[in-house]
Amino acid sequence: MLTLYGQDLRSRLLLGTARYPSPAVLEDAVRSSGTEVVTVSLRRETAGGRQGGAFFELIRALGVHVLPNTAGCHSVSEAVLTAKMAREVFGTNWLKLEVIGHHDTLQPDVFGLVEAARILSAEGFEVFPYTTDDLVVAERLVEAGCKVLMPWCAPIGSAMGPQNIQALRAMRANFPDVPLIVDAGIGRPSHATRVMEFGFDAVLLNTAVAGAAKPALMAAAFAGAIDAGRQAFEAGMLEPRDFAVPSTPVIGKAVFA
Ligand SMILES: CC(=O)[C@@H](O)[C@H](O)COP(=O)(O)O
């Protein structure tokens, strides 16, 4: 069971709602993913070009938790204002906080992120910060009030998969009690399995499902991959060895040559 800000969840997949070809495709993907949390941008163009009321009605009708996000915000003031609007619209204190710092890579502005996280946490928001894999920034975010961390594994929408395994492992080791969700850059189910295998608590993804030829099928594939990675982590995996270990015992062998 995954617990985020006191909310118990069975699914460890959080799904984005942008870039789907139509609202119907989005709905199918959400249902087949088994997700219990979808993230929604107030600013980004939404499925099939539907914006505002109609789109938000569709999201509410899905019956899942809504995690509003500040995608597209490039400053602290813009992110804080968008967060407050999101709370009005969705009636939740949850917030996926994005403060974008770099136009090409969409890398977070970690300085603005920490500042915005501090302001919003003090105002009662439960902040899910989209951050890098930097340990010091992560520490500052926790000090600012964040009880969940969401490091990228590659740039948003790149589908490159984990680029710095050691940094992600270091985050897990340094924050054993903070739920860690990989957010952004996952391209394939195997990428999701990999990060789950080394102990991440969940994965948030959008582009890999929304951009697939069959989004609902891909959503189901990701759900299975995330479960497999989690089960493997809980089962306790062998460390790779650079020598052979016979799987058949030699005791009882007739001839020892
Ligand atoms: C919807 C959303 O929040 C995404 O921008 C998120 O960061 C996931 O990134 P990918 O689209 O790379 O999965």
Side-chain angles (χ1 to χ4, degrees), residues 16 39 44 69 96 98 155-157 183-186 204-207:
T39 184
R44 191 180 287 160
N69 68 59
K96 171 166 138 66
E98 290 189 24
I156 292 173
D183 172 13
I186 295 281
L204 189 156
L205 59 93
N206 187 162
T207 308

Side-chain angles (χ1 to χ4, degrees), residues 82-97:
T82 304
K84 289 178 178 174
M85 286 164 54
R87 180 151 69 178
E88 292 274 312
V89 171
F90 292 106
T92 176
N93 286 325
W94 279 14
L95 182 79
K96 171 166 138 66
L97 179 60

Side-chain angles (χ1 to χ4, degrees), residues 41-56:
S41 166
L42 284 198
R43 302 196 60 211
R44 191 180 287 160
E45 193 178 346
T46 50
R50 290 171 72 176
Q51 291 186 311
F55 181 72
F56 299 149

